[in-house]
Amino acid sequence: MRPRTLLATGLAAVLLSGCAQSVDPIERLGKKAVQRVESYGPARADGRPYRHWGLPAPLPAPPRIPARTTARRGGLPPVVRRVETSDKVVFLTYDDGAEKDPRFVELVRELRLPVSMFLTDSVVGPGYGHFARLQSVGASIQNHTLDHPALRGLPYTGQRAEICGQQEKVRSRFGIRPRLLRPPYGTYDRTTLRAAADCGLSAVVLWSVPPEGENRGLRAGDIVSVTSGETRGPTLTERTTRLLREIQRRGLTVGRLEDYL
């Protein structure tokens, strides 16, 4: 047999073998869907992204519920310290925007963590690109004022400038207007609520679990303020994974705060 004939015969055998092993596109999609069910997040090489982050098991998906609008009283947004819910969820929130840990973006993406980032313009500085990446993988971006002042006691014009100014800053950077405000240091007054309402915010969010208190008796409905901005000690990713293990130990999962407010 001529060399050219042998080559053609070999190529035909390879092609026929490849066709015999091909998988219908619908079947392939079905297999991928099964892989995704195993963990709440896209699969890594072993199909278990939670193991990569040191978790003993996948995080259960939070209940699928429609987004809700929190009712205002007297035209003012409510102040929310924790969510009254029977769902076994807690809510992870991060303030300021000082810490820009690139692995945190991967953590949020792979585990599909519905985290809420309350950003301050003067703290974020030139780092808005990092938070754009976080937004692209599912994090929500919320308002923590322009310059991080203690709002309580400031005149209306000053409070409105801080709150509305950050609304516009976030809109220009991310194309959205936040629905939630976290006042710096958790301090506010009736003027804060009036300014927040006038700036289009639907709720003022505080917390039921303070920074450094993440491991103390978590309960369903807790709003956790996760420590951020540290320059020493564990990274933001490490602090979050430690917290996730505690959440799992208590039979809870992570919910999207905006779905409940």
Side-chain angles (χ1 to χ4, degrees), residues 97-126:
E99 193 167 354
K100 304 170 184 67
D101 180 358
R103 292 193 73 232
F104 185 68
V105 180
E106 291 302 302
L107 175 71
V108 170
R109 181 182 67 82
E110 293 192 2
L111 299 183
R112 295 185 182 177
L113 284 179
V115 298
S116 300
M117 315 300 295
F118 289 85
L119 300 185
T120 294
D121 180 65
S122 63
V123 177
V124 175

Side-chain angles (χ1 to χ4, degrees), residues 13-27:
V14 170
L15 289 172
L16 286 171
S17 174
C19 290
Q21 296 176 2
S22 66
V23 180
D24 181 80
I26 300 300
E27 181 182 350

Side-chain angles (χ1 to χ4, degrees), residues 1-17:
M1 188 178 291
R2 296 179 180 179
R4 188 172 297 176
T5 304
L6 284 171
L7 178 60
T9 303
L11 285 172
V14 170
L15 289 172
L16 286 171
S17 174

Side-chain angles (χ1 to χ4, degrees), residues 43-191:
R44 295 179 73 85
D46 64 355
R48 295 179 173 87
Y50 63 89
R51 288 186 177 177
H52 172 74
W53 299 105
L55 301 183
L59 280 168
R64 293 184 180 276
I65 62 171
R68 304 170 186 170
T69 301
T70 304
R72 296 183 177 186
R73 296 180 179 178
L76 298 180
V79 178
V80 182
R81 291 177 173 81
R82 68 186 310 274
V83 175
E84 295 299 327
T85 179
S86 59
D87 294 340
K88 294 183 177 181
V89 294
V90 296
F91 308 97
L92 302 188
T93 65
Y94 301 77
D95 290 357
D96 305 337
E99 193 167 354
K100 304 170 184 67
D101 180 358
R103 292 193 73 232
F104 185 68
V105 180
E106 291 302 302
L107 175 71
V108 170
R109 181 182 67 82
E110 293 192 2
L111 299 183
R112 295 185 182 177
L113 284 179
V115 298
S116 300
M117 315 300 295
F118 289 85
L119 300 185
T120 294
D121 180 65
S122 63
V123 177
V124 175
Y128 274 102
H130 172 81
F131 295 98
R133 288 189 288 276
L134 271 171
Q135 184 195 33
S136 73
V137 297
S140 76
I141 306 298
Q142 305 298 337
N143 191 324
H144 199 43
T145 72
L146 278 174
D147 298 308
H148 207 272
L151 294 175
R152 185 170 60 201
L154 292 180
Y156 171 81
T157 53
Q159 295 203 40
R160 190 180 190 281
E162 282 288 337
I163 297 169
C164 287
Q166 185 64 354
Q167 287 289 90
E168 290 305 314
K169 181 69 69 171
V170 171
R171 184 195 61 77
S172 67
R173 294 282 186 171
F174 301 100
I176 55 106
R177 291 177 66 85
R179 290 180 47 235
L180 309 178
L181 168 71
R182 172 164 287 167
Y185 315 106
T187 66
Y188 68 96
D189 54 21
R190 187 174 178 81
T191 302

